[in-house]
Amino acid sequence: MANIKSAKKRIKVINKKTLRNKMIKSQVKTAMKKVIVAVNAGDKDAAAVALKGATSAIDRAYIKGIYHKNSAARKKSSLTKLVNSL
């Protein structure tokens, strides 16, 4: 356990940021799952709507620094390929 005041504060800040990152990553995963479920069901309209939401969530996560640029692009690309395969 930290003894110095600034180190204690850093621990608090890191914990807050970790929770925020987990929350945003969870939202992205849920959005991606909605696209996959719609594609598996064969519903092209629902898949397109879900893709738009997932792309937005991935972009927000990238802007906030949670995902690397290439990682975000890879996720968006794979989802787009799935939807286009319908």
Side-chain angles (χ1 to χ4, degrees):
M1 185 64 198
N3 292 324
I4 298 167
K5 190 176 181 182
S6 62
K8 289 179 184 177
K9 180 181 177 183
R10 293 309 309 161
I11 290 170
K12 284 184 185 177
V13 170
I14 288 169
N15 288 336
K16 263 190 197 177
K17 286 185 177 185
T18 301
L19 286 175
R20 176 178 150 265
N21 291 348
K22 278 185 185 177
M23 181 186 70
I24 294 171
K25 279 185 179 181
S26 175
Q27 289 171 350
V28 168
K29 288 177 188 175
T30 303
M32 289 176 70
K33 216 174 282 182
K34 284 181 183 177
V35 174
I36 293 167
V37 167
V39 168
N40 289 340
D43 189 358
K44 189 163 185 149
D45 295 332
V49 171
L51 175 65
K52 189 173 182 183
T55 301
S56 175
I58 292 168
D59 284 338
R60 266 186 270 126
Y62 161 65
I63 288 168
K64 292 182 179 186
I66 294 165
Y67 286 124
H68 186 270
K69 178 174 59 174
N70 293 348
S71 177
R74 185 177 64 246
K75 289 176 189 300
K76 290 193 297 186
S77 174
S78 65
L79 290 177
T80 305
K81 280 183 185 176
L82 271 178
V83 173
N84 288 342
S85 69
L86 285 177

